[in-house]
Amino acid sequence: MNYNTVYVGMDVHKKSFSLCCYTNEKEQAEYLQKMELHYSKILNYLEAMRFHYGDDVLFICGYETGCLGYTLYHDLMGHNVKCIILAPTTIP
């Protein structure tokens, strides 16, 4: 099944990233993965997720700024990955 938009939640820490995907169609988090702290690992994860969601998928990544500030945001946007900064109060 192809999805137009997949939301990627990212839990960002000093030593690792934890990511998962969410679609409005399934209404559940899936493909949880913990990885090393480097934006290239996120790019690899997104590329692997195309197998599940299709080549025409739009990934929208989001995270709460903390120890990394806006560095991750700029790294992802620099590689044409849509990224938003989330306030803790907006995350259910």
Side-chain angles (χ1 to χ4, degrees), residues 21-78:
C21 292
Y22 177 90
T23 63
N24 288 332
E25 291 84 0
K26 289 190 177 179
E27 294 186 343
Q28 67 181 21
E30 53 189 359
Y31 306 113
L32 176 64
Q33 186 170 345
K34 190 172 183 176
M35 61 191 63
E36 296 174 30
L37 184 71
H38 196 273
Y39 78 90
S40 66
K41 301 295 183 182
I42 296 172
L43 298 176
N44 292 341
Y45 173 84
L46 296 178
E47 196 56 39
M49 290 300 101
R50 290 187 186 283
F51 174 79
H52 299 285
Y53 297 112
D55 288 332
D56 60 343
V57 66
L58 168 65
F59 291 110
I60 301 177
C61 298
Y63 74 101
E64 174 189 356
T65 60
C67 61
L68 296 180
Y70 295 95
T71 303
L72 179 58
Y73 170 85
H74 292 297
D75 288 339
L76 293 176
M77 293 291 283

Side-chain angles (χ1 to χ4, degrees), residues 70-89:
Y70 295 95
T71 303
L72 179 58
Y73 170 85
H74 292 297
D75 288 339
L76 293 176
M77 293 291 283
H79 284 84
N80 297 317
V81 175
K82 185 171 174 120
C83 186
I84 57 175
I85 303 298
L86 302 167
T89 57

